[in-house]
Amino acid sequence: TKGALAKHVLHHYTNRGGVDFILCLGDDRMDEDMFTSVHRYQQEASYRVYQGTEQEVRVFTCTVGRQPSMATYCLYTLDDVNVLLRGLSLQTKRRLRSA
């Protein structure tokens, strides 16, 4: 299942220092166990230590075009997803330039 795969990937990265940001998108009922796995990871690892500093694990689960859902957020169309991803890309580029 997608939930088992998400759990496996998160376990892999936890053994290598963890992650500080997760964006999990899904658009059908088969994604619900994935959202649950990601939320469990956030509860168990709300912080990670990176280069001696504690960082909050930020998790955003988002269903696309379908409600209700275990996801915290909802985007209504694929165009909304594209806008979100472009915005994240732009912020990352800005942050890298200022570093």
Side-chain angles (χ1 to χ4, degrees):
T1 66
K2 292 179 186 179
L5 178 61
K7 189 175 180 180
H8 174 77
V9 170
L10 291 170
H11 179 73
H12 173 83
Y13 282 102
T14 297
N15 290 339
R16 286 154 182 79
V19 297
D20 63 345
F21 178 82
I22 299 170
L23 174 62
C24 181
L25 300 167
D27 67 350
D28 64 31
R29 296 231 180 268
M30 299 296 291
D31 298 318
E32 294 302 311
D33 63 332
M34 176 177 62
F35 296 142
T36 299
S37 293
V38 170
H39 284 299
R40 281 191 191 129
Y41 175 81
Q42 183 183 26
Q43 291 170 350
E44 293 168 4
S46 58
Y47 290 91
R48 74 167 190 151
V49 177
Y50 179 71
Q51 295 180 346
T53 61
E54 206 172 67
Q55 294 180 334
E56 181 181 5
V57 176
R58 286 166 278 164
V59 173
F60 298 90
T61 55
C62 185
T63 187
V64 180
R66 190 184 59 74
Q67 289 182 330
S69 173
M70 293 297 295
T72 307
Y73 300 98
C74 179
L75 294 172
Y76 295 100
T77 67
L78 289 177
D79 288 337
D80 294 337
V81 173
N82 287 329
V83 169
L84 171 67
L85 295 176
R86 278 192 300 257
L88 288 171
S89 175
L90 181 62
Q91 289 301 317
T92 300
K93 289 175 185 175
R94 286 181 181 163
R95 181 172 275 165
L96 290 173
R97 273 190 234 134
S98 67

